[in-house]
Amino acid sequence: MRQQGTGAWDDWRWQLRHAVTEPSPELCGYGLSVPAAEQVHRRYPLKLTPYALAQLSRDNPADPLNLLALPSVGELLDEPGMVADPFSEQTRAACCHGLKRRFPDRVLVMAHDQCAMACRHCTRKGLLRGAEVVRTPAQLAAAVAWVEAHPEVREVLLSGGDPLLLADTRILTLVRAFARLPQIDAVRIGTRVPVTLPMRVTAELARRLGASKKVWVNTQFNHAREITPEAAACCGRLVDAGIPVSNQCVLLKGVNDSVAALFDLCTGLQRVRVRPYYVFMCDPVAGIAHFRVPLRQARRLERELAVRVGGLALPRFVMDLPGSSRKTPI
Ligand code: SF4
């Protein structure tokens, strides 16, 4: 299947068509136990592109990138206090179809329910299937009308799922629909495509997104090794197009829970002109308890990292608390 270096490899649609979506014997070479993975897969499906698969280690099943991509029985542990939807995303009344509001000055538009990779640490891992997405022109018109009627909203977050898995025309339609409103200062796109499918961001798409002058991209690199030459080039295309790119990583046990790992990540991001913005504590979401890092350790990491990197490369350590109307510093 692997055709690295060929034209097909650089075609994002080819990558998606050839994504691994079953715990196949091919994955045994990466330390995966297929029977156990099948059990996990029934609850939390597996998906990764050939590009993402090529980053995994065949020698070390506990490699940070393997932990982020391959199912683990830890996902089936039912820990007290861990629930599918701690922030009531699913049950919170939508302002209109596919549009939700948690903070006064910004709204979330569900633009897609698919991702290039089923990240094992995803806080929405139980919520994406069947999510209410803005798909039709009528739904988009209703969402824009709702925002227009609420002038205090100045930022629109396109999220999902991954909005950048949509076709160029669809992404641009969504962006322009909100960017044309004078009240909107920023249309933020939440995407892991720079990490999991970097060839998706073509120079043409970056240029057309940048032309709106209002697009910001927030991505999520969690480990320095994810900053491959392809990923760096992807971020470069966005930044060169005038789009600010920031990184919101998640503090994850076994992945980046050391000062050395965070130092490498933050300095690596700065090197490719991506601003390390937030380090999030893991949300209390079912299926990711095995990734959680104790608060005391997170505070120590924050202190020690601040000694090693300057402000431009220093992210804020925060957590989302159910019921809170802001990101809470740890
Ligand atoms: S790309 Fe984001 S939303 Fe999609 S599975 Fe990964 S963390 Fe979850």
Side-chain angles (χ1 to χ4, degrees), residues 12-28:
W12 66 279
R13 294 185 190 277
W14 180 91
Q15 289 279 340
L16 290 176
R17 276 198 305 277
H18 291 82
V20 181
T21 55
E22 295 283 337
S24 63
E26 178 194 3
L27 296 177
C28 293

Side-chain angles (χ1 to χ4, degrees), residues 162-221:
D162 202 315
L164 293 192
L165 287 203
L166 295 166
D168 287 13
T169 47
R170 180 77 192 133
I171 299 167
L172 292 160
T173 299
L174 285 163
V175 165
R176 288 169 184 161
F178 293 104
R180 72 173 178 79
L181 304 179
Q183 74 193 70
I184 295 300
D185 294 328
V187 178
R188 184 161 33 126
I189 299 177
T191 176
R192 275 205 98 209
V193 149
V195 186
T196 57
L197 189 68
M199 56 288 286
R200 167 62 188 105
V201 179
T202 59
E204 176 66 5
L205 176 61
R207 187 189 64 72
R208 296 173 82 186
L209 288 173
S212 82
K213 308 277 189 211
K214 291 192 179 179
V215 168
W216 295 54
V217 164
N218 271 8
T219 190
Q220 189 201 115
F221 288 88

Side-chain angles (χ1 to χ4, degrees), residues 7-301:
W9 184 266
D10 295 328
D11 175 351
W12 66 279
R13 294 185 190 277
W14 180 91
Q15 289 279 340
L16 290 176
R17 276 198 305 277
H18 291 82
V20 181
T21 55
E22 295 283 337
S24 63
E26 178 194 3
L27 296 177
C28 293
Y30 298 88
L32 189 79
S33 147
V34 170
E38 274 169 353
Q39 217 186 333
V40 182
H41 173 69
R42 279 195 284 278
R43 194 186 296 184
Y44 302 120
L46 164 79
K47 181 179 180 187
L48 72 165
T49 56
Y51 168 82
L53 184 61
Q55 315 310 322
L56 306 190
S57 166
R58 287 183 175 274
D59 306 322
N60 177 16
D63 181 86
L65 271 50
N66 292 34
L67 299 181
L68 293 172
L70 298 178
S72 135
V73 286
E75 294 172 59
L76 299 178
L77 297 176
D78 287 322
E79 297 269 334
M82 308 293 278
V83 294
D85 186 10
F87 304 107
S88 312
E89 283 189 35
Q90 229 167 19
T91 51
R92 186 180 317 129
C95 306
C96 60
H97 184 97
L99 188 147
K100 296 209 174 179
R101 180 193 211 176
R102 196 167 142 216
F103 303 107
D105 66 336
R106 48 203 189 270
V107 289
L108 167 78
V109 174
M110 282 295 283
H112 204 15
D113 56 2
Q114 302 289 316
C115 302
M117 182 164 111
C119 309
R120 307 324 297 178
H121 62 283
C122 178
T123 55
R124 289 191 183 144
K125 63 196 297 177
L127 302 179
L128 286 179
R129 262 185 292 193
E132 199 175 78
V133 171
V134 172
R135 292 186 207 277
T136 67
Q139 288 164 351
L140 178 57
V144 172
W146 189 94
V147 172
E148 257 184 311
H150 294 80
E152 70 279 13
V153 173
R154 42 172 296 279
E155 200 177 298
V156 171
L157 168 61
L158 302 180
S159 187
D162 202 315
L164 293 192
L165 287 203
L166 295 166
D168 287 13
T169 47
R170 180 77 192 133
I171 299 167
L172 292 160
T173 299
L174 285 163
V175 165
R176 288 169 184 161
F178 293 104
R180 72 173 178 79
L181 304 179
Q183 74 193 70
I184 295 300
D185 294 328
V187 178
R188 184 161 33 126
I189 299 177
T191 176
R192 275 205 98 209
V193 149
V195 186
T196 57
L197 189 68
M199 56 288 286
R200 167 62 188 105
V201 179
T202 59
E204 176 66 5
L205 176 61
R207 187 189 64 72
R208 296 173 82 186
L209 288 173
S212 82
K213 308 277 189 211
K214 291 192 179 179
V215 168
W216 295 54
V217 164
N218 271 8
T219 190
Q220 189 201 115
F221 288 88
N222 293 311
H223 192 275
R225 267 198 19 247
E226 292 176 322
I227 312 170
T228 62
E230 292 96 327
C234 170
C235 296
R237 289 189 288 277
L238 291 166
V239 176
D240 288 347
I243 299 170
V245 183
S246 301
N247 191 69
Q248 306 190 162
C249 90
V250 188
L251 191 59
L252 298 163
K253 189 173 171 182
V255 175
N256 55 19
D257 57 338
S258 69
V259 180
L262 290 170
F263 176 84
D264 289 347
L265 174 63
C266 294
T267 53
L269 288 168
Q270 189 176 32
R271 220 167 286 132
V272 298
R273 296 179 290 162
V274 172
R275 182 172 176 219
Y277 176 46
Y278 281 140
V279 173
F280 274 102
M281 296 296 289
C282 253
D283 292 335
V285 170
I288 62 172
H290 58 302
F291 279 120
R292 295 192 97 190
V293 174
L295 192 54
R296 178 194 292 255
Q297 184 183 347
R299 289 184 174 138
R300 180 179 59 73
L301 291 170

